[in-house]
Amino acid sequence: MTDEDEAAFDEFVAARSTALLRTAILVCGASAHDAEDLVQGALEKVYRHWSRIRADNPEAYARKVVVNSAITRSRRRKVIREITFAAPPDTPVDGPDLGLREAMLAELRKLPTRMRAVLVLRYWEDQSEIETAALLGCSVGTVKSQAARGLARIREAMVEGVPA
Amino acid sequence: MNVEEELKEAMRAQVDEVYAPPSMGSAVRRRRRRSLTRFRTAGAVLVTAAVAITVPVVLTNTTPTPGPADAGAPAIAVPGIVVPDVIGMNAKQAYLLLEQAGLTPMIMTPGESTVDGAKADSVRAGENVILTSPAAGAVIEPKGLVQIKVPWVPAPTGSPEPPVDQSSNDNLGDLGDGLTWMGIHVSYLPEGVKWGGSSYVGGFGAKSATVPYVTEGLEEGMYSVQVIVSADAKLLHRDGEQVAPGTWISSYGEGGEKLGFGTGSTLTASRDFPGDLAVQVLFSPDYSKSLGEAKAKEEIAKVIAAIRQEK
């Protein structure tokens, strides 16, 4: 790797790592520490192939690695007992009424990881359906259906989360 | 505001104050070339300069590990806030207290995994804080994220059964060869697949249990083949390809949606047994992949066909 490559990588990290970290936090469900580890891992892959990919949208590559490792991590964690019944309690966490936003985020965290990733990419990252499908390696139809189902569940949480 | 915008706003609020630590670049290099002693001081200085411009107020969520490579990371004086002890306090009070302390509190659900053994409708989130992360006494940056965890507690109404105790007796105990349990006998498993030594009770509705089977060298906590038995008819996916009377095979995603065979979907066979007993056999995505589609489907059909009810 040339000095120029190294310098370009530094610029890339400085410019993009915060955005990647935020996406990772949202996709893997709010642990900043885990997310940071994940982003470091993703950037390491970017770094490894930097001279090859620097001219060719390294950000998209990094985002793809971040999102997919967040999904993998979450799947590995819960593989034993929640494979087909990934829906946790239907009743929202209704302890303290923290209002709409918290209710939405709580519901977001309860979604299956892939569905959550779709929502984060579509509505946080403002990725198009086509871009989201490419990032997740699924069809546009899957992105549409996952987004619709995810939003429907969030919408329910909004209704129930509003203090009476 | 519509739900998309609300959601975006909520996400923004959640991560607004999160910034990548300025040591990120050096941390990545450290991971990549732990063995190399050469450290590009020039590069690290450049990172410092660039980050100082893009991130005016540097707030990080983790303390960078001290190490030789951090010599190049900028020493930014960040005034710290000590996380107060809120354990046992009502979560809402704890939230307000942390907020007043200049931190960003976030109430977490107790975690999905802890509720598996209990019936979903028999628990709700408790009100008192059992854990914070970072713990009390830690010094973190202003507006740093503090997660507040509350436990699952039995719901006041609903199932008269107490939630299943997660600690020790929520498994089936020693199953010997692991093939006979809950009134069924697993008489065929693909070559190289055997009982992994664990079992779980209650995760799939009343009167349910599940036993994972593993291949050699599989990581702890993973499964290759998993068999679930339940009295809950919801376990039956009747929408798959019918391979025998009362037996269906298809692949499903994490949310239970029907997908094609491949990465991200779990090959699943369901069988309806007499006496309201449902049995499901799952091949993990990794295991299915290692067999290939045709072989995986053939094997899963053999496994489910060979399960018989013990009298």
Side-chain angles (χ1 to χ4, degrees):
Chain A
M1 205 145 101
T2 65
D3 280 3
E4 201 219 328
D5 279 343
E6 295 275 1
F9 180 73
D10 288 330
E11 263 177 52
F12 171 73
V13 170
R16 304 308 320 162
S17 55
T18 291
L20 289 171
L21 184 62
R22 290 175 176 182
T23 296
I25 288 174
L26 292 169
V27 173
C28 71
S31 157
H33 185 80
D34 274 4
E36 200 169 302
D37 189 56
L38 216 130
V39 170
Q40 275 187 17
L43 287 174
E44 191 207 322
K45 283 192 183 143
V46 173
Y47 184 72
R48 203 182 303 163
H49 305 296
W50 181 249
S51 34
R52 182 166 55 82
I53 60 174
R54 64 172 282 204
D56 182 29
N57 203 348
E59 188 182 353
Y61 178 83
R63 188 183 293 121
K64 189 169 183 166
V65 178
V66 163
V67 170
N68 284 300
S69 37
I71 291 173
T72 309
R73 187 170 294 203
S74 149
R75 180 174 299 145
R76 289 166 91 82
R77 196 176 60 228
K78 56 185 194 181
V79 76
I80 287 290
R81 283 179 275 178
E82 290 184 80
I83 305 132
T84 49
F85 288 72
D90 291 333
T91 41
V93 178
D94 57 357
D97 75 71
L98 294 168
L100 191 59
R101 203 170 273 171
E102 285 75 13
M104 292 177 85
L105 289 173
E107 193 62 34
L108 182 70
R109 282 191 291 273
K110 285 198 281 175
L111 296 180
T113 320
R114 231 179 148 70
M115 194 182 281
R116 184 165 61 234
V118 167
L119 293 183
V120 171
L121 289 170
R122 288 284 290 121
Y123 303 114
W124 167 251
E125 292 247 12
D126 282 331
Q127 302 282 332
S128 70
E129 284 172 346
I130 295 168
E131 288 163 329
T132 304
L135 279 163
L136 294 172
C138 64
S139 70
V140 173
T142 304
V143 169
K144 283 185 187 176
S145 65
Q146 295 270 299
R149 290 173 55 183
L151 282 180
R153 281 173 61 172
I154 303 268
R155 197 174 286 124
E156 280 171 35
M158 276 171 77
V159 174
E160 292 167 31
V162 175
Chain B
M1 218 191 300
N2 62 25
V3 66
E4 290 91 337
E5 285 165 15
E6 286 278 9
L7 179 61
K8 182 169 184 162
E9 190 55 27
M11 290 182 188
R12 193 195 56 70
Q14 189 191 351
V15 296
D16 209 19
E17 303 290 341
V18 175
Y19 294 93
S23 58
M24 185 72 96
S26 54
V28 170
R29 285 194 171 83
R30 195 157 62 238
R31 278 168 89 121
R32 179 73 189 126
R33 339 176 262 194
R34 281 202 175 103
S35 57
L36 293 185
T37 48
R38 190 170 65 95
F39 183 70
R40 286 173 44 87
T41 316
V45 170
L46 188 65
V47 175
T48 312
V51 170
I53 293 160
T54 37
V55 186
V57 186
V58 177
L59 302 174
T60 75
N61 278 290
T62 51
T63 315
T65 337
D70 279 328
I76 296 171
V78 181
I81 295 178
V82 178
V83 178
D85 186 359
V86 296
I87 307 283
M89 202 180 273
N90 175 290
K92 190 170 183 177
Q93 288 169 355
Y95 188 96
L96 293 174
L97 194 112
L98 289 169
E99 207 170 31
Q100 281 163 11
L103 299 164
T104 309
M106 178 182 284
I107 298 197
M108 312 294 292
T109 60
E112 293 174 18
S113 58
T114 52
V115 76
D116 297 342
K119 284 177 71 178
D121 57 359
S122 66
V123 294
R124 62 178 177 80
E127 290 182 355
N128 295 331
V129 179
I130 50 167
L131 186 74
T132 62
S133 172
V139 179
I140 63 170
E141 303 75 23
K143 299 220 173 170
L145 208 61
V146 179
Q147 297 176 359
I148 308 171
K149 290 204 170 70
V150 291
W152 288 116
V153 295
T157 55
S159 164
E161 291 169 13
V164 179
D165 179 10
Q166 289 292 308
S167 56
S168 59
N169 48 11
D170 63 341
N171 63 53
L172 299 166
D174 186 4
L175 300 176
D177 58 5
L179 300 177
T180 308
W181 47 278
M182 280 284 283
I184 61 140
H185 178 70
V186 180
S187 61
Y188 173 81
L189 283 172
E191 201 183 334
V193 176
K194 58 178 176 31
W195 184 40
S198 54
S199 56
Y200 304 92
V201 171
F204 299 89
K207 284 189 270 174
S208 74
T210 177
V211 173
Y213 299 92
V214 299
T215 44
E216 191 70 31
L218 197 70
E219 210 176 296
E220 175 85 28
M222 305 287 283
Y223 76 105
S224 297
V225 174
Q226 181 154 345
V227 179
I228 306 168
V229 174
S230 175
D232 187 348
K234 268 196 298 184
L235 199 69
L236 292 170
H237 286 291
R238 297 170 191 271
D239 57 348
E241 181 193 349
Q242 186 159 5
V243 295
T247 308
W248 300 267
I249 294 179
S250 186
S251 294
Y252 299 90
E254 276 188 72
E257 72 279 15
K258 198 172 159 185
L259 296 173
F261 181 88
T263 313
S265 70
T266 305
L267 185 62
T268 305
S270 316
R271 183 167 162 200
D272 192 3
F273 274 92
D276 292 331
L277 192 67
V279 172
Q280 202 176 70
V281 175
L282 311 158
F283 276 20
S284 79
D286 290 350
Y287 183 61
S288 305
K289 197 175 161 192
S290 75
L291 294 177
E293 181 169 3
K295 178 82 173 158
K297 285 185 172 168
E298 184 192 322
E299 290 284 15
I300 201 169
K302 280 164 85 174
V303 173
I304 196 142
I307 291 176
R308 56 170 199 266
Q309 266 180 295
E310 295 285 292
K311 297 299 170 203

